[in-house]
Amino acid sequence: MTTTRDYGTELDALQAQMNDLQQLIRQLIPNQDENIKMFTEKKNSATAGLGSIFYSGQYRGDLASYRWEPQEKHVSQLIQLDGDKAAKILGALAHKQRLDILRAVLQEPLTGPDLVERLNMGTTGQLYHHIKALVGADLLVQEERGGKYTIPGPRALPLLLLLAAASDLMDTSNYLAMTEARTNVHAYLGGAQDVYDPHLLLWAVVENCILEHLHGTCSEISLFLHADGSITVADNGRGIPVQALPGSEHPRVQTVLTDMSRLSASATFLAPGSEKGIGMPVVNALSLKLSVEIRRDGRVFQQHYKHGIPQSELQAVGVTKETGTSVTFLPDQDIFSNSFELNTLEKQAEDLALLYPKLNIHVWNDPA
């Protein structure tokens, strides 16, 4: 016996189920349609000029939850904020110990003695000096005299979002330090003012390859001199690690090439008459452009920089069975008036071969 399906009835039933599902969504997300409509209308009515910023946010914790509905603020309004009040709030946050207080209280309400002990402040007087500033900025409240400090509910989410924004801007401190290196070149390169030797940057890069050799993981170094004045230093070592360091979103190679505070953790070359050692971040900062290629874990990775600032993310660009690191850089001609010399490279290669007889060093001239 053949049964004929009633497609019309099935479609009606399916439509009814869709209507029920839409109704359920509206119940779970109140005023969704109104919010979308409001956002669209505001976007369409935005005036020309500096534009607007649209934002929303939500925080859910064990003790509380906060939510910002979608909002819009014109940039012109933000830059016209009361300067005194804005400075008061930002000033309260710009002090490390005050920021530590806020971060501690964000985790749980704490009394004054709790904060002194947890933050190793030593005296309550030192604590209350900072507490006064935070309370004055309405970033902290005390439940009762002698009671625990908490962050007002309406302030918690903006503070968390501000910390999130700060984490995205964390690299700025690295780049500021690299800019300082560019304006204080003599401290790193020594010698006569305004007559700096670009080979000093090269020897600093080679120093890292030699460390790999001493570690027993590098047997060859190749120097390629290019027609545009740049140079490539390539080794067959392990390759700079590409995984992110704990607490960082950036690959370790980016930290190696940009974090001036980690100079002690990597090789540094001390130029005659200099005050500070030349590490990879200094080489990066004093180069018009720098590219790094890493061969490890069966893949080839690349990243590009300009004056020390990343111009791209670290990208996997191929596969390989080899390991090693290649750094290509062009010294900034605003700092270095001289160029690399083939004879100097060959002489240094001979000297290094005598010091490290098991290390093969090759020098190549690429005139093309």
Side-chain angles (χ1 to χ4, degrees):
M1 179 178 180
T2 302
T3 302
T4 303
R5 296 180 61 179
D6 189 342
Y7 291 101
T9 301
E10 291 182 14
L11 287 174
D12 290 341
L14 182 60
Q15 183 63 53
Q17 293 175 9
M18 290 295 295
N19 292 338
D20 292 341
L21 181 59
Q22 290 177 352
Q23 183 63 30
L24 178 60
I25 292 175
R26 291 191 182 96
Q27 293 175 358
L28 293 175
I29 309 178
N31 300 325
Q32 181 192 37
D33 294 339
E34 287 78 0
N35 286 339
I36 294 174
K37 182 179 178 181
M38 176 188 68
F39 185 90
T40 303
E41 289 177 350
K42 288 185 176 180
K43 183 175 181 180
N44 291 338
S45 64
T47 58
L50 297 176
S52 299
I53 181 171
F54 300 88
Y55 61 95
S56 63
Q58 185 171 353
Y59 164 76
R60 290 182 180 178
D62 294 335
L63 302 178
S65 62
Y66 315 104
R67 180 177 180 179
W68 269 348
E69 297 295 338
Q71 299 184 54
E72 173 194 3
K73 286 189 178 179
H74 293 285
V75 174
S76 58
Q77 293 176 310
L78 296 177
I79 62 178
Q80 292 174 8
L81 288 174
D82 187 308
D84 290 335
K85 292 183 179 179
K88 186 176 183 181
I89 295 171
L90 294 176
L93 294 172
H95 194 286
K96 181 182 182 300
Q97 287 186 315
R98 295 174 188 175
L99 191 57
D100 288 342
I101 293 170
L102 291 173
R103 291 191 294 182
V105 175
L106 274 170
Q107 298 176 56
E108 60 177 318
L110 296 169
T111 64
D114 291 336
L115 286 166
V116 170
E117 180 179 358
R118 181 167 299 191
L119 302 179
N120 298 316
M121 286 191 167
T123 64
T124 55
Q126 184 182 8
L127 169 72
Y128 291 123
H129 170 73
H130 301 306
I131 290 288
K132 182 178 179 181
L134 295 173
V135 171
D138 195 27
L139 294 172
L140 207 63
V141 295
Q142 191 173 23
E143 296 174 347
E144 57 189 25
R145 186 172 180 82
K148 295 182 177 181
Y149 290 96
T150 60
I151 294 176
R155 305 297 188 195
L157 181 57
L159 179 58
L160 288 170
L161 292 177
L162 188 59
L163 290 174
S167 70
D168 287 340
L169 295 172
M170 201 71 76
D171 289 340
T172 303
S173 61
N174 294 338
Y175 305 147
L176 288 174
M178 298 177 86
T179 300
E180 183 275 335
R182 292 178 57 80
T183 58
N184 191 26
V185 176
H186 185 72
Y188 296 93
L189 301 181
Q193 292 279 3
D194 300 327
V195 183
Y196 299 117
D197 184 2
H199 294 90
L200 296 175
L201 301 185
L202 173 60
W203 308 145
V205 179
V206 171
E207 187 80 8
N208 283 271
C209 303
I210 293 175
L211 279 184
E212 279 288 283
H213 172 67
L214 295 176
H215 187 269
T217 53
C218 171
S219 60
E220 291 190 8
I221 301 175
S222 295
L223 308 180
F224 298 87
L225 184 58
H226 305 293
D228 65 353
S230 65
I231 194 165
T232 296
V233 181
D235 66 42
N236 65 344
R238 294 166 293 178
I240 303 174
V242 295
Q243 295 82 6
L245 289 168
S248 172
E249 298 179 356
H250 301 298
R252 185 173 178 181
V253 59
Q254 182 166 324
T255 301
V256 169
L257 290 171
T258 61
D259 193 344
M260 300 285 285
S261 67
R262 292 181 179 269
L263 286 177
S264 60
S266 61
T268 55
F269 175 82
L270 192 63
S274 64
E275 303 171 12
K276 303 178 181 181
I278 305 173
M280 291 302 298
V282 176
V283 175
N284 201 3
L286 302 186
S287 297
L288 175 62
K289 58 182 180 179
L290 181 147
S291 298
V292 61
E293 178 183 284
I294 300 165
R295 302 172 297 281
R296 64 177 293 149
D297 304 326
R299 294 189 290 174
V300 180
F301 302 88
Q302 284 185 352
Q303 191 173 27
H304 306 283
Y305 296 81
K306 181 177 180 180
H307 288 158
I309 299 176
Q311 303 299 297
S312 66
E313 300 290 336
L314 182 68
Q315 299 175 336
V317 296
V319 296
T320 183
K321 294 182 180 180
E322 300 177 352
T323 61
T325 301
S326 298
V327 176
T328 301
F329 65 97
L330 176 64
D332 194 334
Q333 294 181 352
D334 289 340
I335 299 173
F336 301 94
S337 56
N338 298 326
S339 302
F340 293 114
E341 297 179 356
L342 183 61
N343 291 338
T344 301
L345 303 186
E346 293 174 338
K347 177 63 170 61
Q348 184 68 9
E350 292 176 0
D351 293 343
L352 290 174
L354 294 176
L355 291 173
Y356 308 99
K358 295 183 179 181
L359 178 62
N360 297 316
I361 304 178
H362 310 280
V363 178
W364 309 87
N365 187 22
D366 180 14

